[in-house]
Amino acid sequence: MKLNNLIKTNFSKIRVGRGIGSGKGKTSGRGVKGQKSRSGVAIKSFEGGQMPLFRRLPKRGFKSFNKKHVAILNLEDLQNFIKDKKIKINDDLNIKFLKEKKLIRKDLNLLKILGKGEIKEKIKISTNFVSKSAKSKIEKAGGTIKILSNNKE
């Protein structure tokens, strides 16, 4: 026996409002008066007087409107970019340059350099934030670091 034989496909849509003989004329099965008899009205999330699901569940979390989108790069990331020839040693590294090279996401608008890993090359970086360890490692390698003002958002 084929699966198609089990599926009932010979039903037709009930055409409402086609006279009293059809059984779905006049009020078209909607009853008389009331909100549900009108067109374009739906009682969304109404559960018959029971406390609706969206009110039964607890509110969770918080979304800050003032969240700063900060790109975080470790020194080992910068070293890997240099090793993979994605950036050159004489490039001035800043957020705009890193976005153009697609090394960070374009929705990030601040840059923070952290000190995980080692940097061997002499590089120039313009950043919004830098950790003490990263700053000392960059200067030890002979590089320069410029800290930008942080009022850009």
Side-chain angles (χ1 to χ4, degrees), residues 55-71:
R55 288 186 59 196
R56 275 181 274 161
L57 298 174
K59 289 190 209 143
R60 299 285 305 237
F62 170 76
K63 190 160 186 160
S64 173
F65 292 112
N66 300 325
K67 184 177 179 186
K68 290 181 172 76
H69 298 284
V70 181

Side-chain angles (χ1 to χ4, degrees), residues 49-101:
Q50 174 177 296
M51 185 62 64
L53 181 68
F54 75 94
R55 288 186 59 196
R56 275 181 274 161
L57 298 174
K59 289 190 209 143
R60 299 285 305 237
F62 170 76
K63 190 160 186 160
S64 173
F65 292 112
N66 300 325
K67 184 177 179 186
K68 290 181 172 76
H69 298 284
V70 181
I72 295 171
L73 280 178
N74 279 299
L75 292 179
E76 67 181 3
D77 300 328
L78 293 173
Q79 187 63 45
N80 288 336
F81 292 152
I82 292 166
K83 192 177 92 178
D84 298 340
K85 295 185 171 61
K86 291 181 179 174
I87 57 176
K88 295 182 184 93
I89 300 165
N90 55 1
D91 289 332
D92 187 19
L93 302 179
N94 56 30
I95 191 122
K96 188 178 174 193
F97 176 81
L98 293 169
K99 282 182 189 178
E100 285 170 8
K101 291 281 188 176

Side-chain angles (χ1 to χ4, degrees), residues 25-42:
K26 195 181 173 229
T27 54
S28 305
R30 288 172 176 261
V32 188
K33 296 185 180 177
Q35 185 180 12
K36 289 175 160 181
S37 71
R38 316 285 191 231
S39 67
V41 180

